[in-house]
Amino acid sequence: MSLAMPRQGEPLISMRNLRKVYRKGTQEFLAISDVTMDIHAGDMVSLVGPSGCGKSTLLKILSGLHGHDGGDLQIGGASGAAFEPGRDVGMVFQQPLLLKWRNILENVLLPADILGLPRKAAVERAHGLLDMVGLNGFANKFPYELSGGMQQRASIARALIHDPKLVLMDEPFGALDALTREKMNLEMLRIWAQSRKTFVVVTHSIQEAVFLGSHCAVMTAGPARMADFFPIDLPGPRKLHLKTTPAFGAYVTRIYDRLGVE
Ligand code: ADP
């Protein structure tokens, strides 16, 4: 079974020749030159490219934090319901960024509190999400009582609490040790399958990009252009030994080729 879902209908996100310029006074800096891709509901798109090429900038545009300066961006489908980043996007960062004075349940509830969602339903949903990310029984613990990997799982639950359409992850496992990172990759595939959300994940690890992605977007050195965009058609359920197979290696090689790394 392929993890790549059939791509029918209009995409959730459509980017056409997207361009982004940072301005400071009279100075201009072209961060993204020309990015075109379609992301469909339920996709897990891994985004790779050299450091400084504009990956975080692209996530910030998708999250509504930054505008773009050229090209076209449609989120939610041309005919779809209005997409409001505050309500429809969940974010996961490299650091869990949990509030140390709130327990894990209250941390997960934070976006729901900010959006003013009904408390009782949000608490129920938070418990369900803590279950899903394997933190059942940790609701009343404080962040310092959890390992780095557990804290990051709490931040994934927090990103899902308001039932967003899109979850953006910026190097989510970059701060974890190698083994915890591999375990989190497996957890992530399970969370993706269970939540059926659309994820865009920035990673510096080519292996992680192939292991996690239903699709992979490769960007050139900045200012970013598309170097490649392709589905990752590997058999599931994906387990760590998949990384030793020729098919997995072929995708890794393809990305290295596009990045010009030998
Ligand atoms: P990546 O996530 O791929 O490492 P970024 O999107 O963080 O890259 O940055 C792309 C480029 O834009 C870099 O050269 C960075 O220095 C520059 N940049 C990022 N944010 C700003 C900003 N707020 N103002 C000016 N330049 C920025």
Side-chain angles (χ1 to χ4, degrees):
M1 183 194 77
S2 163
L3 281 176
M5 297 198 7
R7 309 189 112 220
Q8 287 164 354
E10 62 182 21
L12 177 68
I13 304 171
S14 167
M15 302 175 226
R16 291 285 172 276
N17 309 110
L18 214 61
R19 180 181 166 86
K20 170 69 187 171
V21 179
Y22 284 114
R23 295 188 175 83
K24 196 175 179 190
T26 55
Q27 297 217 312
E28 292 199 341
F29 180 83
L30 180 60
I32 293 179
S33 149
D34 186 356
V35 165
T36 292
M37 73 177 100
D38 282 343
I39 297 174
H40 287 247
D43 282 353
M44 164 81 86
V45 176
S46 48
L47 191 58
V48 293
S51 199
C53 78
K55 301 181 294 297
S56 297
T57 299
L58 191 61
L59 289 196
K60 284 175 188 157
I61 293 171
L62 295 178
S63 73
L65 208 59
H66 286 340
H68 57 286
D69 299 282
D72 189 44
L73 172 64
Q74 299 264 3
I75 310 188
S79 58
F83 184 91
E84 285 176 30
R87 190 196 57 200
D88 293 325
V89 174
M91 296 284 301
V92 179
F93 303 95
Q94 182 166 3
Q95 302 295 339
L97 303 177
L98 301 175
L99 298 176
K100 58 178 187 256
W101 60 88
R102 280 187 167 224
N103 67 23
I104 295 302
L105 178 69
E106 292 294 337
N107 264 289
V108 171
L109 284 168
L110 189 65
D113 289 350
I114 292 170
L115 290 167
L117 303 182
R119 179 82 184 173
K120 191 162 170 280
V123 169
E124 257 173 47
R125 187 170 161 78
H127 282 294
L129 287 168
L130 284 173
D131 227 10
M132 186 175 86
V133 300
L135 289 178
N136 189 4
F138 290 86
N140 296 321
K141 302 278 185 200
F142 282 83
Y144 74 90
E145 297 178 274
L146 272 61
S147 69
M150 292 163 90
Q151 289 191 26
Q152 197 56 309
R153 278 188 268 157
S155 84
I156 294 168
R158 180 184 58 195
L160 294 169
I161 186 68
H162 54 303
D163 201 19
K165 294 192 177 99
L166 173 65
V167 183
L168 304 174
M169 306 177 97
D170 199 352
E171 263 294 298
F173 311 124
L176 303 176
D177 66 86
L179 193 60
T180 307
R181 185 172 186 154
E182 296 211 304
K183 285 186 186 157
M184 280 302 301
N185 281 183
L186 289 169
E187 286 291 299
M188 199 53 234
L189 287 175
R190 193 180 53 73
I191 291 167
W192 175 49
Q194 247 175 286
S195 69
R196 300 317 292 166
K197 296 285 177 205
T198 309
F199 287 87
V200 179
V201 184
V202 166
T203 175
H204 287 117
S205 162
I206 309 297
Q207 303 252 335
E208 188 170 87
V210 174
F211 191 68
L212 287 183
S214 69
H215 296 77
C216 182
V218 187
M219 294 180 16
T220 64
R225 285 175 290 103
M226 295 302 294
D228 206 354
F229 184 87
F230 56 91
I232 299 175
D233 193 8
L234 289 169
R238 294 183 187 180
K239 299 285 179 206
L240 292 177
H241 58 73
L242 184 66
K243 294 185 181 186
T244 62
T245 63
F248 187 92
Y251 282 117
V252 170
T253 304
R254 176 171 178 164
I255 297 173
Y256 281 135
D257 277 351
R258 297 301 185 269
L259 294 173
V261 182
E262 294 195 1

